[in-house]
Amino acid sequence: MRKLPAFLCAIFFCAIAGAWNVNEKYKGKKTPTTDTSWHSDILPGYEARYVNQGEAFDGPCRSTIIRKLCPSKSRKAFLYIHGFNDYFFQKEMGEIFVDSGFNFYAVDLRRYGRSREPWQYPFNIRKQEEYFADIDSALVQIRKDGNTDITLGGHSTGGLTVAFMGAMKGEDIGVDRIVTDSPFLEWNYSAFMRNVAVPTVSFLGKIFKNAKIKQQHCDGYAYSLLKEYYGEWTYDTDWKMVYSPPVTWSWIGAINSAQSRLMKKRKNIAVPILVMHSSRKIEGCNYTPEFQTGDAVLDPAMLQERGMKLGSVRQVCTIDSGLHDLILSRRDVREAAYDTIFSFIRRH
């Protein structure tokens, strides 16, 4: 058997070394969520309700719908899907949409934020399609509330998920348009990593589903967001951690498969799609002022290239100096992102 490259061996060693060093397993009862009524949300002025999503590979599973309704009657709705190591906390975002005449909705996906149960490893997934049920549940509620014009939006892995859902469902997507904010369309790695290492780990993830790979101990992006450091925002760092936890091999496989199948079925996207990304890539791990001027997670050039191939009606737009999450950038930058979104919705 041909010897694996040293760099790939190092990746496997780190993954295997950390695979079985897990926290003490949850030993309590796994009780399904039964209370699905609306209640006051943790964000003032919002309400939320759980959705019982049945039995998953790790036990009972739920998602959470969060909403803020327009005070004047509206049939327009915007549904937001967060990214990895994330949850919905962008109170300003919902307020901007409501002030603009939209009913605003968001979902905390299974194993994230409001939805995470104590027996679940955070953010874990084995197939990206698992999230379709979480999104569809929110769309059912949105239509039940009387909305007939629906925009589906997503950030980072959420952007990948909504684009992938559009490609897999085609005309049955059930929304009028898709908006993405720095969608995770491609790994920010070298060609060797993208074409050899990641596919290999993805394949092995079908066997060693819970094996984990530690992520770098980087603070640059979190420090650029958090008000207590250099940013403008306050959020729960138990739900959106400063240092991302290890990811499972099966999570890597789910992302890699979704990216690949999205590009194979990209022409199936039947609604207009907007792809927004920053103007520059930021290198490095620990915070410097440069982290306030670009995307420290993904490579905008890769997003531009792949975004230009999605669907038949598309707009790919560069937001100058945007952070990875464009709507968490400094005020003038996020205002440019919002202007782009509303302009896209008006045209399509």
Side-chain angles (χ1 to χ4, degrees):
M1 181 177 178
R2 187 177 178 182
K3 187 177 180 180
L4 290 170
F7 188 55
L8 187 55
C9 288
I11 294 172
F12 290 163
F13 175 77
C14 289
I16 294 169
W20 317 119
N21 183 22
V22 296
N23 296 328
E24 185 177 352
K25 291 184 178 180
Y26 175 80
K27 296 180 181 179
K29 187 176 181 181
K30 296 182 179 181
T31 305
T33 294
T34 56
D35 184 1
T36 59
S37 58
W38 289 102
H39 56 268
S40 296
D41 187 48
I42 56 174
L43 295 177
Y46 288 76
E47 57 183 343
R49 73 174 184 88
Y50 300 122
V51 179
N52 186 339
Q53 296 292 355
E55 193 78 10
F57 62 83
D58 52 357
C61 183
R62 71 183 182 190
S63 60
T64 310
I65 304 171
I66 306 102
R67 74 180 178 186
K68 185 177 180 64
L69 300 179
C70 194
S72 58
K73 189 172 182 180
S74 174
R75 294 188 177 276
K76 297 185 296 182
F78 187 92
L79 172 60
Y80 172 75
I81 310 299
H82 61 77
F84 173 75
N85 185 22
D86 207 353
Y87 72 102
F88 175 67
F89 65 91
Q90 295 90 337
K91 185 172 182 287
E92 179 190 79
M93 182 187 195
E95 292 169 348
I96 288 173
F97 274 96
V98 167
D99 289 345
S100 300
F102 291 77
N103 294 311
F104 180 83
Y105 299 79
V107 173
D108 272 12
L109 299 169
R110 56 189 66 193
R111 306 184 189 90
Y112 283 88
R114 299 163 178 82
S115 302
R116 187 187 167 203
E117 300 281 21
W119 55 83
Q120 295 174 328
Y121 187 78
F123 323 144
N124 196 20
I125 196 77
R126 292 184 177 172
K127 294 191 304 179
Q128 209 70 10
E129 290 95 328
E130 287 182 52
Y131 294 141
F132 291 1
D134 302 357
I135 296 171
D136 280 334
S137 297
L139 291 174
V140 168
Q141 179 67 59
I142 290 169
R143 295 187 195 99
K144 183 179 178 181
D145 289 346
N147 297 285
T148 55
D149 183 282
I150 304 171
T151 303
L152 176 60
H155 163 62
S156 196
T157 53
L160 168 63
T161 300
V162 299
F164 177 51
M165 188 171 174
M168 298 302 290
K169 292 203 170 192
E171 294 181 354
D172 296 327
I173 183 64
V175 301
D176 296 277
R177 63 198 67 79
I178 294 172
V179 167
T180 66
D181 168 357
S182 303
F184 194 3
L185 303 179
E186 178 64 287
W187 299 95
N188 184 16
Y189 292 146
S190 67
F192 168 77
M193 287 288 289
R194 296 195 310 271
N195 299 324
V196 178
V198 170
T200 303
V201 172
S202 299
F203 174 77
L204 292 174
K206 297 176 182 178
I207 305 169
F208 305 105
K209 294 180 173 63
N210 292 319
K212 298 178 180 68
I213 296 180
K214 293 181 179 179
Q215 300 200 69
Q216 286 182 292
H217 203 65
C218 296
D219 60 34
Y221 182 50
Y223 281 18
S224 71
L225 299 179
L226 283 164
K227 195 172 186 177
E228 62 190 281
Y229 297 103
Y230 307 99
E232 298 181 44
W233 312 101
T234 300
Y235 53 79
D236 189 333
T237 52
D238 287 332
W239 287 356
K240 183 176 175 65
M241 304 173 196
V242 172
Y243 303 106
S244 296
V247 295
T248 61
W249 287 7
S250 58
W251 180 89
I252 292 172
I255 294 292
N256 198 58
S257 174
Q259 290 173 340
S260 176
R261 287 188 288 157
L262 167 60
M263 298 316 295
K264 288 178 181 176
K265 293 182 174 290
R266 61 189 184 273
K267 297 299 183 183
N268 287 358
I269 298 175
V271 297
I273 183 167
L274 170 65
V275 177
M276 299 187 297
H277 59 75
S278 180
S279 56
R280 61 181 60 85
K281 173 184 174 180
I282 303 299
E283 303 281 3
C285 186
N286 298 117
Y287 181 83
T288 66
E290 190 179 24
F291 273 81
Q292 299 285 2
T293 68
D295 192 329
V297 179
L298 299 180
D299 184 347
M302 292 180 175
L303 305 190
Q304 172 76 23
E305 180 181 353
R306 288 207 162 190
M308 288 298 296
K309 299 175 182 178
L310 299 181
S312 57
V313 179
R314 77 185 74 84
Q315 179 182 348
V316 182
C317 185
T318 300
I319 305 297
D320 188 35
S321 302
L323 301 184
H324 175 56
D325 192 336
L326 298 167
I327 64 165
L328 299 182
S329 306
R330 67 174 190 263
R331 181 163 297 279
D332 63 313
V333 177
R334 65 181 184 265
E335 286 178 351
Y338 283 124
D339 287 346
T340 302
I341 293 170
F342 289 123
S343 175
F344 177 79
I345 292 173
R346 285 193 299 271
R347 285 199 310 276
H348 301 287

